[in-house]
Amino acid sequence: MSAVTSQTTGRSTAHLSRSLGLWAIVGLGLGYMTPMTVFDTFGIVSEETNGVVPLAYIFALVAMIFTAISYGRMTRAYPSAGSAYTYSSETIHPNFGFLVGWSSLLDYLLLPMVNAVIARIYFESFFPDAPSWVFVVGYVVVITALNYWSMKGTSRINGILVVFQVVLIGAFLVLAFLELRHGVGHGTIFTLAPLVHEGVQLQAVIAGATVVCFSFIGFDAITMYSEEAKSPNIVPRAIVLSLLIGGAIFFIAAWFSQSVFPTLEGFEVTDDTLPEMALKVGGTLFKVFFVSAALAAIVASSLASHASVARMMYVMGRNGKGRFSRYLSYIHPRFVTPTHAVVIVGIVSLLAVKFTLEFASSMINFGALIAFTIVNLTVIVFFAVRLGRRRTVKDIFTNIVLPAIGMCLTAVLWINLHFDALLYGSIWLAVGICVLLYITRGLRQPLTMRIEEQTLAEESPVGAEP
């Protein structure tokens, strides 16, 4: 599909191309969520929760379901890229929206770099004598080029990699079931031990949920493709589908894993248990295939996360002023992608040469949980306050009770984040406040919010009942 242009102030402005169908967007969400992470973090969460990893996933999934409902409603009201930044800017205030977007940007911007760090670790394990920067530069250049070239092409490659992951996860479940039949672990999957047993504490489960909620970051990033979906109604459905499919994969894989490995006895490395889990259930050959699937998962997540953060930067630039904002909001007339933003994300990802995985990953959840909480709040503000839909029991339940529950659940997860995440996230937020004060001249020149007219051209009026 060629770029769509409109004439404004005597110059041509390209728009994002509506080329993505339902399953393409679901695939991007699943690619972002990275189903294989359930095995990478299994050891950490199992230690944290005292052996009830599936329960931690249930806690996180319930919190995310309420938030997904809110995302679905807001993306119908404002079918524009930008996610929580757009919704909070439109419903509360553009200055507040900037801070929400700035907080989210920390997570979205760092995730491609985290993926590059993990890819570097995989490559180093195979080629320990080669310089690390070669792997990082080569990997980042490929991911950046694919995102620069075509969103549709990125989606297709991502879909292939997601299917590869799911097939290997299915193979793991079959091998795990065979191990259980031979008396390994609990000896059966028909046991409540992965959910409840002596010594399980609620606070520990919540702490584990704050770790696994990192796995669910991705369903919200789907909203970044609102201006590229073939139909605006696709995005809310894709949000729910990707969350439920991803949640089901996480839970089932965690259940089988916890049944086979009720404790971590015999594991040499507990920070990343994926290679040893594959070796124990399927042998060396299966380990090779499983690690290959893990690498495919990283590539898929890199493609999806790189694409989504580039679109968030594009929207924030589109609504700003000055040369840098115009640079960020540039859409390539041939490739119909925000190429300048894509390149900047690639440059940031090159920091994977020096950054450690522990440092980068500790900051990922801070802004995401802030965004989740605020999106639930925007539902209350927009539907219950601004539109006045709070007169009937149904209105109160859908416009106040449901999003309030989502707010409380995500706030609980945010409060229980690791200290480093809270510390570094707070520093990032403080920097954002300084930037806001600078660009608004001490709040004397408030920011404005602009949704591209093309995104609303075929929509019902904002505020229509979703």
Side-chain angles (χ1 to χ4, degrees):
M1 180 176 178
S2 61
V4 181
T5 62
S6 62
Q7 297 296 324
T8 56
T9 64
R11 63 186 179 88
S12 177
T13 303
H15 300 276
L16 296 173
S17 172
R18 289 195 177 276
S19 59
L20 300 179
L22 173 64
W23 291 108
I25 298 179
V26 170
L28 286 166
L30 290 175
Y32 203 130
M33 292 167 73
T34 321
M36 296 291 290
T37 56
V38 63
F39 304 105
D40 287 305
T41 60
F42 176 80
I44 298 172
V45 181
S46 186
E47 283 186 327
E48 187 77 50
T49 62
N50 193 23
V52 286
V53 176
L55 185 59
Y57 274 103
I58 289 178
F59 268 71
L61 178 60
V62 169
M64 296 303 105
I65 286 175
F66 285 97
T67 301
I69 294 172
S70 293
Y71 267 103
R73 300 194 69 192
M74 293 309 296
T75 196
R76 281 192 175 102
Y78 297 101
S80 169
S83 192
Y85 161 71
T86 296
Y87 311 146
S88 54
S89 294
E90 285 286 344
T91 60
I92 301 175
H93 195 279
N95 290 351
F96 180 76
F98 175 84
L99 293 179
V100 173
W102 180 271
S103 299
S104 303
L105 192 61
L106 175 65
D107 305 329
Y108 290 129
L109 195 57
L110 285 183
L111 190 54
M113 187 187 75
V114 169
N115 288 326
V117 171
I118 296 174
R120 186 198 75 201
I121 293 172
Y122 281 131
F123 287 129
E124 285 176 341
S125 68
F126 287 107
F127 308 101
D129 296 328
S132 298
W133 68 267
V134 174
F135 302 126
V136 173
V137 171
Y139 181 83
V140 170
V141 166
V142 171
I143 297 299
T144 303
L146 288 171
N147 274 284
Y148 190 104
W149 168 55
S150 168
M151 187 63 241
K152 196 169 184 178
T154 298
S155 171
R156 288 173 177 170
I157 295 173
N158 173 82
I160 294 171
L161 297 176
V162 169
V163 170
F164 183 44
Q165 290 180 67
V166 173
V167 169
L168 266 294
I169 291 175
F172 177 90
L173 298 182
V174 172
L175 292 172
F177 180 75
L178 294 176
E179 289 292 300
L180 290 169
R181 290 190 62 182
H182 288 97
V184 175
H186 290 305
T188 178
I189 61 170
F190 302 105
T191 172
L192 292 178
L195 290 180
V196 58
H197 56 256
E198 186 178 354
V200 175
Q201 298 179 349
L202 179 61
Q203 185 65 34
V205 175
I206 293 176
T210 65
V211 177
V212 302
C213 76
F214 166 76
S215 302
F216 288 99
I217 297 176
F219 81 88
D220 62 307
I222 284 176
T223 59
M224 299 294 180
Y225 309 118
S226 293
E227 296 179 26
E228 293 165 280
K230 291 181 179 179
S231 167
N233 291 328
I234 284 177
V235 176
R237 293 164 58 196
I239 290 172
V240 175
L241 280 173
S242 63
L243 179 63
L244 294 180
I245 293 172
I249 293 173
F250 290 138
F251 178 77
I252 294 171
W255 187 281
F256 274 78
S257 299
Q258 197 73 81
S259 298
V260 175
F261 306 108
T263 69
L264 297 178
E265 184 179 352
F267 280 85
E268 295 181 7
V269 179
T270 58
D271 287 343
D272 188 347
T273 47
L274 182 147
E276 288 187 70
M277 291 174 70
L279 180 65
K280 291 177 184 295
V281 301
T284 303
L285 181 60
F286 180 70
K287 176 186 173 182
V288 172
F289 279 104
F290 210 58
V291 172
S292 298
L295 181 58
I298 295 302
V299 174
S301 181
S302 294
L303 288 171
S305 59
H306 196 125
S308 63
V309 69
R311 278 142 186 83
M312 183 172 186
M313 294 171 65
Y314 156 73
V315 173
M316 294 183 73
R318 186 175 69 190
N319 294 301
K321 299 177 181 178
R323 182 178 300 176
F324 188 65
S325 290
R326 289 194 297 270
Y327 180 84
L328 286 179
S329 61
Y330 173 77
I331 297 292
H332 196 284
R334 178 183 175 188
F335 301 127
V336 203
T337 56
T339 49
H340 290 172
V342 166
V343 171
I344 290 177
V345 177
I347 293 172
V348 173
S349 299
L350 291 175
L351 294 174
V353 172
K354 293 295 182 181
F355 274 55
T356 65
L357 182 59
E358 291 78 11
F359 178 81
S361 61
S362 68
M363 297 185 287
I364 290 295
N365 285 338
F366 179 86
L369 289 174
I370 287 181
F372 293 168
T373 304
I374 297 303
V375 168
N376 284 299
L377 175 62
T378 61
V379 172
I380 298 174
V381 172
F382 182 74
F383 289 99
V385 178
R386 181 178 295 185
L387 299 183
R389 295 178 181 171
R390 54 182 186 274
R391 296 179 178 85
T392 67
V393 173
K394 179 182 178 182
D395 283 345
I396 293 174
F397 181 72
T398 57
N399 300 329
I400 298 177
V401 174
L402 287 181
I405 293 174
M407 281 183 63
C408 293
L409 292 175
T410 53
V412 167
L413 293 177
W414 187 84
I415 293 171
N416 284 275
L417 283 175
H418 192 276
F419 174 78
D420 285 346
L422 293 174
L423 174 62
Y424 297 131
S426 298
I427 293 173
W428 175 260
L429 181 58
V431 173
I433 293 173
C434 294
V435 172
L436 176 64
L437 292 173
Y438 173 76
I439 62 179
T440 60
R441 302 297 187 267
L443 303 181
R444 292 190 299 272
Q445 297 178 7
L447 296 174
T448 58
M449 182 67 194
R450 178 170 64 92
I451 296 179
E452 287 293 311
E453 292 181 1
Q454 186 202 9
T455 69
L456 300 175
E458 299 177 359
E459 305 305 317
S460 57
V462 172
E465 183 68 41

